[in-house]
Amino acid sequence: MLDSKIPAGKLDEKWVDYKGHCKLVNPANKRKLEVIVVGTGLAGASAAASLGEMGYKVKAFCFQDSPRRAHSIAAQGGINAAKNYQNDGDSTFRLFYDTIKGGDYRAREANVHRLAEVSANIIDQCVAQGVPFAREYGGLLSNRSFGGTQVQRTFYAAGQTGQQLLIGAYQALERQVALGNVTMYARHEMLEVVKVDGKARGIIARDLVGGKLERHFGHAVLLCTGGYGNVFYLSTNAMGSNVTAAWKAHKAGAYFANPCFTQIHPTCIPVSGDHQSKLTLMSESLRNDGRIWVPKKQGDNRKSIDIPEEERDYYLERRYPAFGNLVPRDVASRAAKERCDAGYGVGSSKQAVYLDFAAAIQRYGKGEVSKRNLGNISAAEITQLGKDVVKEKYGNLFDMYEKITGENPYEMAMRIYPAVHYTMGGLWVDYELMTNVQGLYALGEANFSDHGANRLGASALMQGLADGYFVIPYTLGNYLADEIYAKALETSHPAFEEAEKKTADRINTLMNIKGKQSVESLHKRLGKIMWEKCGMARNAEGLKEAIAEIQALKKEFWSDVRIPGEIASFNPELDKAGRVADFIELGELMCKDALAREESCGGHFREEHQTEEGEAERHDDKFMYVSAWELKGESEWELHKEVLNYEVIKPSARNYK
Amino acid sequence: MEHTSINVNLKVWRQKNNQAKGEFKMYKLEDVSTEMSFLEMFDVLNEQLINDGEDPVAFDHDCREGICGMCSMYINGKPHGPWQANTTCQLHMRAFKNGDTIVVEPWRANAFPVIKDLTVDRTAFDRIIQAGGYISVNTGNAVDGNSLPINKDKADASFAAAMCIGCGACVAACKNSSAMLFLSAKVSHLALLPQGEPERHSRVVNMIAQMDKEGFGACTNTGACEATCPKEISLSNIARLNKEYLTASLVSDK
Ligand SMILES: Cc1cc2nc3c(=O)[nH]c(=O)nc-3n(C[C@H](O)[C@H](O)[C@H](O)COP(=O)(O)OP(=O)(O)OC[C@H]3O[C@@H](n4cnc5c(N)ncnc54)[C@H](O)[C@@H]3O)c2cc1C
Ligand code: SF4
Ligand code: FES
């Protein structure tokens, strides 16, 4: 039975109550307790730094050359917090409500409420660390709005919010390294969870420079290893983002929850050719000012500026007048796909829609004229003033767009298309962020906990930092308080021996296949299957085909992959091979999960389950649960259901009209 | 965007590991789409090498959108290649012409030893941060974010310095292999904020001491770092760093 360990009591008192009653570890004992933190993105760096400050002995791992480079660095738009600095009616409850609704009623109330409660503390903590958030002329913090909400609660640092937040956490982490409380292992990849008597007691990691396997003991193991969007090959994730750590945990008994809940982000730069290695996001914040449209005529090949206003279809504003261009991501993505599939797409591939700033440039230009009292100036001058304002807000994004496409978005509308961006699914965790394996925790994007079937923009950074700074410091103590008598194990223990052997055998097997196909080419093929059959729209037939194709691909991989080089050396191809092997297995589970969930909700759209207007149709009577999958054998899983009880919010059809 | 296909010759630094002696090797690539990024062109090269049973070129990269600071190629004599304010991963093949020979090397500096081919070890930067590149505030100690208004211009200037991605191109561009631009960006980020005030003096002194210990060279104000920095970190930060250091040395005579 899955026990989510949600504390009893009223929703808004649960966390306060938990903190008041959870067990504590005294300072002398903390020094004897070792904690392994895998991953140094926002979740991992904040956890490792905080636990180090508290006095635990921490070992932190990342596969990049420095903890500062974790994928969190790429987050652009911002971070939510219920500060209500704008006095626009925001509150903890409203952030909680928006997140539950945005997640299409597939997240736990208690977790999400806690997230909303601590959100304000995150901003305070980051400001204290010196994170240079955007400010108003009065010197106070500035906010912008994001999709799926009607208040301005998003804090930001131009288009580099993730970078600034991560650098804050990274610096806190390096301070603990300097103090000797944290030992950092960069260019290391965790490849196995070591369990002793059912409890997680360490990991096997590979030093990616020399290729050697290492054993590391910990009284508890925290996986903060990010999302698995790269199962689709093309995504907005960094090239190295992978599922391997989470997958090894899954193989060691941890349940994988809602694997099919994938977020497809509506505004990314479209694919330009077969060589494409990744996709680049154009932040959701652009939807504050950019208007999305396609021509009213199918196959209209005119340039965007040559198409007159009355021949444009601002389809989001048309379909969803209340939220317009700021509908949640899943809704915006599907609407773009619908228009392109119907033949209204633009650009050479016809798989794109326009994101247009012309109106915003004029509006800002005129705003400047009246603000600065400029009187009678020419239209060209007004346009220039408007461009300057847009540049200040989004300059780095516009530059990024121009570098990739060679087109100037100040002059012509951007072309955008949806792309895989975030994974709501992940390791199943209880209220304390512990997986069903004792002592094994999952934080940040690696867990499934807070975003249900769709994540709202600017909420992943919030969740990562909430987990690391404000949740795990309490919940981990509640577990470790009972572990103070457990002496640190020697890594010569048979459990370590066995885990290392398993890892070494697998690497040897991979290297000895000596086939003909490169890792990259097999990964691309997996991505294509996933995108076509388990992407923005799914149906039973396609998913069944996908499962068969993935199983065949798995055979091909394990009999025909070619990995150059040696084991005992710096060998990025070998690292990648291990990750792709895990992605293939995950891909199968995602399709299985998508097939089992016979409803549409959030990012999961089953074509069989839609209204006449093409909106997603949930089936709360049958599917109001979290799907937690237990691995039973090759291609064999057992489904466990955690039923979701809504005590405070009444689920209803999401309506953004 | 118009695109065409070009042929290029690549002259790439190959070095098996830190101990081995390296050398240039020539490769020919045909039908490279000008829409490809520079690293995608390297992906194509590596696929070709793997197919031919050769060892692919090792290079660092992750985000491929100019923010993680991982990519690091010295292209035709310039870190990150010919475009201004740009990282290797953001460089696109439009920058080159049919028949061009492109020379690609790793960052070269004693403090950045080569790991393999185009991959170097930049952990010296992390150790410089460990020496003081932070504000000492434990989790849970913070007051309300808006209790401390900060002048917008100062906040913006601090942000401009905090944009540094720690790539090390400034070091690679400098004939002395100085890390002053990197260091000054961090010192400026924190010194411009009131939160950074209490540790202002010890920070700059300790970070400079660590930089010297790592074997980075001295700054002789040639400005090659600023010209190559993908985030346009300004030389004025080095001026601020020098001022901070001077004041710190004056007040810290204990
Ligand atoms: C382009 C982009 C823009 C985004 N913008 C926003 C935004 O504006 N607002 C928002 O809220 N969210 C945004 N997101 C989402 C958000 O950035 C991520 O969900 C979040 O940063 C994930 O943080 P994390 O700490 O969980 O994982 P990550 O930052 O992905 O860190 C994972 C860590 O795990 C390590 N790791 C992984 N596997 C292993 C292993 N096997 N062994 C050792 N180490 C391992 C890595 O080295 C890394 O340190 C964006 C995402 C993308 C792709
Ligand atoms: S100062 Fe510029 S060149 Fe130097 S590390 Fe920072 S971003 Fe790179
Ligand atoms: S790969 Fe991240 S900056 Fe180039």
Side-chain angles (χ1 to χ4, degrees), chain A residues 275-278, chain B residues 36-44 64:
Chain A
H275 55 266
Q276 193 97 27
S277 61
K278 75 154 289 173
Chain B
M36 272 188 205
S37 72
F38 197 75
L39 294 184
E40 283 167 348
M41 185 268 294
F42 261 82
D43 293 341
V44 173
R64 293 206 178 185

Side-chain angles (χ1 to χ4, degrees), chain B residues 97-171:
Chain B
K97 292 193 306 293
N98 192 29
D100 275 359
T101 295
I102 309 171
V103 186
V104 188
E105 299 168 77
W107 284 178
R108 297 200 193 270
N110 286 335
F112 291 162
V114 171
I115 292 175
K116 182 178 178 184
D117 299 335
L118 306 173
T119 310
V120 300
D121 179 348
R122 285 170 289 191
T123 47
F125 271 11
D126 290 328
R127 291 187 292 272
I128 292 179
I129 299 297
Q130 283 158 28
Y134 45 73
I135 286 166
S136 297
V137 52
N138 282 1
T139 304
N141 275 347
V143 295
D144 184 84
N146 261 353
S147 63
L148 183 70
I150 299 177
N151 173 293
K152 182 174 176 356
D153 294 338
K154 279 216 163 150
D156 287 350
S158 168
F159 170 68
M163 287 208 304
C164 163
I165 57 174
C167 62
C170 45
V171 176

Side-chain angles (χ1 to χ4, degrees), chain A residues 194 196 201-204 215-218 489-501:
Chain A
V194 179
V196 179
R201 287 296 190 210
I203 61 167
I204 302 296
R215 305 172 184 186
H216 295 276
F217 168 82
L489 286 180
E490 292 295 329
T491 54
S492 53
H493 188 284
F496 279 93
E497 193 100 21
E498 198 185 309
E500 184 182 319
K501 184 169 179 310

